[in-house]
Amino acid sequence: MNQILGNIKGDRWIWLIVILLSLISLLSVYSAIGTLAYKRGVGAESILMKHLAMIIGGIVLMYISHKLDYRYYSGISKLLMYITIPLLLYTLIFGSHVNDASRWIAIPGTGLSFQTSDLAKLALITYLARSLSRKQENIKDVKQSFIPIMGAVCIVFILIALANLSTALMLFGVSVLLLIIGRISIKQIAITCLAGAILLTGVVFLGPRRHTYTSRIHTYLHPEAANPDKSFQADHAKIAIATGGLFGKGPGKSNEVNYLPEAYSDEIYAIIVEEYGLLGGVTLIGIYLFLLYRCIKIVTKAPKAFGALLAAGLSFSLTIQAFANMAVAVGLGPVTGVPLPFVSMGGTSILFTSIAFGIILSVSRDIENPKKVVVGEIKESGNTEMNIA
C-alpha cells in the first residue's frame, strides 16, 4: 500500500477531488436507488456494491492512465478515432434502444453496456489536441489544417447528435474552445460554428429523434402549456430543490426519489440538494469549480502544446458536463440524459471519466517531474511551444 501511495504522482488536489466526489457519489446513490432496487427485485446494497466496484475500477484505471506518459496519448488518439467512428455508426444501427435512443452497445460476455459517445469524447479531444499541436506552424492553412480538423469535429458531432444531442452539443462546444486555444483564426471558427448550427438544425427538425428533441425544447420554453407527462421529470426536480431548504432534509430522507425516474443518474443533483440543502448544492458546485481552477493551472504550466491542449479539452469536458447536469436539475435547460461526472451511477461512464482524470494527472505529473525526451524512445506529436496563458 505504501509503495502504491508513493507512486501516486500528479496534482494532489485533483486526487482529493476524486476521493470527495467518490464519497458524495456513494452517499447520494445509496439514497436514490431504493425505487430501482424495488423494480429489479433486489436489495439496494447489491446495487450499491456494483456501483462501488465501478468506482474502485475507475480509480484503478485513473492510476494506470496517470502513470503512462501523456505523450503516448498522441499516437493512441489516432487509433481511437479509427475505432470510434465505426463504433458510432454501429451503435446507431445495431445499438440497444433505451428511452427511444440507440446510444449503447453491449460488451460481449460481461453483461455490461457502454455509451460509445463516452469513448468518442476521449477520442475527439485527444485527436484535436494532437492535430492542433502538430499543425501550429501552418495553423492558418485551410487545406492542411482547418479542413481535416473541422471534418473530424463535424463527423463525430453528427454521429452522436442523431441519438444524444446534449452530449454532442457539449463536445462541439469543447471542440470550439480547443480551436480558440489552438490559434485557429476567428473566421475559420465562425465557419465551424455555422456548420455546427446547420447540422444541429437538421438533427432537431429532420433527424430520427426530431419529435423528442422538439418536444423537450417546447416544454422548456412553454412549461405552462406543456403536457404534465412531458414536464414530470423537470417539475419533480424543481420540487426536490425547492423543499431542500438551507441544510436539507438529511441523508436518505428524500421524498422525490420516489418520483424522479432517473434520481440516481440524470437528476442526482436534485436529490443532493433535497437531502443536503443549498449548502450541499453550493459545496458540490465549488468542488467542480476548484477542479477547473486546478486544471487551468496545469494548462498554463504545461511546457508543450499537446499537453496543454489535452488537459484543457478534458477539463472543459468534465466541468461543462457537470454544470450542464446541474443546470437541467434547477430548470435552466431542457431535460437531457447527461450524468454528473463521477457522482451519478453511470456504470462504464465512470470508467471513461476516470481515464480522463488520469490523463490530466499525467500532464500534471510531467510538469512536476519534467523528463528529457530521447529521440526514438517517445516519438512525441506536439512538441511545438505555444503560449496558452
Side-chain angles (χ1 to χ4, degrees), residues 1 10 58 129 208 385:
M1 180 61 71
E385 300 285 352

Side-chain angles (χ1 to χ4, degrees), residues 245-373:
L246 182 60
F247 299 106
K249 298 177 179 178
K253 296 182 179 179
S254 168
N255 294 324
E256 295 306 313
V257 72
N258 299 312
Y259 301 98
L260 282 168
E262 299 290 338
Y264 49 86
S265 179
D266 302 346
E267 300 292 350
I268 198 165
Y269 184 69
I271 302 302
I272 290 172
V273 176
E274 184 182 10
E275 294 189 344
Y276 298 94
L278 179 63
L279 185 63
V282 171
T283 299
L284 189 57
I285 291 173
I287 291 172
Y288 283 111
L289 285 175
F290 186 61
L291 169 65
L292 181 60
Y293 166 73
R294 297 304 305 179
C295 290
I296 289 174
K297 288 199 70 173
I298 294 170
V299 171
T300 56
K301 290 181 179 180
K304 303 298 180 182
F306 176 66
L309 289 165
L310 188 60
L314 293 173
S315 60
F316 286 147
S317 176
L318 291 170
T319 51
I320 288 174
Q321 180 178 327
F323 287 110
N325 174 280
M326 293 185 282
V328 169
V330 300
L332 294 178
V335 173
T336 63
V338 178
L340 194 57
F342 225 85
V343 174
S344 295
M345 190 180 80
T348 52
S349 67
I350 290 178
L351 304 183
F352 285 106
T353 300
S354 301
I355 293 172
F357 272 118
I359 296 172
I360 294 170
L361 287 166
S362 178
V363 177
S364 71
R365 182 171 67 91
D366 186 70
I367 295 170
E368 293 177 357
N369 301 296
K371 299 176 182 177
K372 293 182 179 180
V373 180

